[in-house]
Amino acid sequence: EVQLLESGGGLVQPGGSLRLSCAASGFTFSRYAMSWVRQAPGKGLEWVSSISGSGSSTSYADSVKGRFTFSRDNSKNTLHLQMNSLRAEDTAVYYCPRVGPQDDFDYWGQGTLVTVSS
Amino acid sequence: SSELTQDPAVSVALGQTVRITCQGDSLRSYYASWYQQKPGQAPVLVIYAKNNRPSGIPDRFSGSSSGNTASLTITGAQAEDEGDYYCNSRDSSGNHYVFGTGTKVTVL
């Protein structure tokens, strides 16, 4: 059974940093690209970033480029999202869905809440 | 354009059919996938690669596409189908993903 478990969320001040993690299990981790998708309170879904199976290729939404860094450790089946220079508009639930073979997001975790506020 | 536009809300009588649309230039080049989200829960994939259902998704859900518009149809809507629905695809450059604005479905 595919399982994705996000962690690391919390309250951080504007300008601060936070590191999210996502632990994956139930599939051959290194064979799949992964992504981060966020949802601000009461708002829609927003794609944040994706990483290839090997970790050699990443892409970012313009809203986070230069501030967020997506990495993976295939030996530990873990993803990390390093978030720097956080802004109030980064407040959201962050999900780490798997990118399926047909370029969709086929499995999702329950998400972790990031709140940026003073 | 990198946007995917959906109607904000639709309603459907119990047992009737409802179609949700998603419009965007990138849909001329890339398939759409569709996600159902209920309050307080993570999204669930219901349709991928235009008209394929993951295991466990009822066959009342179907997808289609024409030109710059993708559609999700629920045939014989049930009370448990209430929720928010989002389309997703690549943007026009193919380098990024983009989600639709979302449609709230109410079953009357």
Side-chain angles (χ1 to χ4, degrees), chain A residues 13-81:
Chain A
Q13 292 188 341
S17 298
L18 207 58
R19 189 192 196 205
L20 304 185
S21 297
C22 174
S25 61
F27 62 102
T28 305
F29 184 64
S30 62
R31 291 186 181 176
Y32 290 86
M34 301 293 295
S35 290
W36 287 96
V37 173
R38 67 185 181 184
Q39 187 170 36
K43 302 297 184 182
L45 300 173
E46 180 189 12
W47 171 78
V48 173
S49 181
S50 293
I51 192 167
S52 61
S54 67
S56 62
S57 177
T58 54
S59 57
Y60 298 91
D62 290 345
S63 57
V64 307
K65 195 170 185 178
R67 300 187 298 123
F68 289 13
T69 301
F70 193 0
S71 61
R72 66 190 295 161
D73 185 340
N74 285 347
S75 68
K76 296 181 179 178
N77 288 8
T78 302
L79 306 171
H80 297 293
L81 185 68

Side-chain angles (χ1 to χ4, degrees), chain A residues 39 44 50 60 103-105 109, chain B residues 35 37 42 48 86 90 96-97:
Chain A
Q39 187 170 36
S50 293
Y60 298 91
D103 207 29
D104 45 66
F105 300 114
Chain B
Y35 304 82
Q37 187 179 34
Y48 65 94
Y86 296 92
R90 292 273 183 171
H96 295 173
Y97 295 93

Side-chain angles (χ1 to χ4, degrees), chain A residues 4 27 31-37 45 47 49-51 96-108, chain B residues 30-35 43-55 86-90 96-99:
Chain A
L4 298 164
F27 62 102
R31 291 186 181 176
Y32 290 86
M34 301 293 295
S35 290
W36 287 96
V37 173
L45 300 173
W47 171 78
S49 181
S50 293
I51 192 167
C96 63
R98 189 180 83 168
V99 181
Q102 299 294 329
D103 207 29
D104 45 66
F105 300 114
D106 59 357
Y107 289 94
W108 299 65
Chain B
Y30 300 98
Y31 286 140
S33 53
W34 290 90
Y35 304 82
V44 173
L45 177 67
V46 295
I47 291 289
Y48 65 94
K50 191 170 77 172
N51 190 21
N52 292 275
R53 283 176 290 106
S55 174
Y86 296 92
C87 60
N88 172 261
S89 184
R90 292 273 183 171
H96 295 173
Y97 295 93
V98 59
F99 282 94

Side-chain angles (χ1 to χ4, degrees), chain B:
Chain B
S1 171
S2 299
E3 296 179 344
L4 296 178
T5 303
Q6 300 178 235
D7 291 331
V10 296
S11 60
V12 57
L14 185 67
Q16 296 303 301
T17 297
V18 62
R19 188 171 76 169
I20 305 162
T21 60
C22 171
Q23 288 189 303
D25 290 343
S26 65
L27 297 178
R28 298 182 185 278
S29 304
Y30 300 98
Y31 286 140
S33 53
W34 290 90
Y35 304 82
Q36 175 194 68
Q37 187 179 34
K38 299 182 180 181
Q41 297 184 19
V44 173
L45 177 67
V46 295
I47 291 289
Y48 65 94
K50 191 170 77 172
N51 190 21
N52 292 275
R53 283 176 290 106
S55 174
I57 300 301
D59 61 5
R60 63 179 178 270
F61 290 90
S62 63
S64 62
S65 183
S66 178
N68 73 335
T69 302
S71 300
L72 172 70
T73 300
I74 309 174
T75 303
Q78 302 299 304
E80 60 264 34
D81 298 335
E82 277 201 347
D84 296 323
Y85 289 80
Y86 296 92
C87 60
N88 172 261
S89 184
R90 292 273 183 171
D91 69 0
S92 297
S93 74
N95 295 324
H96 295 173
Y97 295 93
V98 59
F99 282 94
T101 49
T103 298
K104 183 177 183 61
V105 172
T106 300
V107 180
L108 304 173

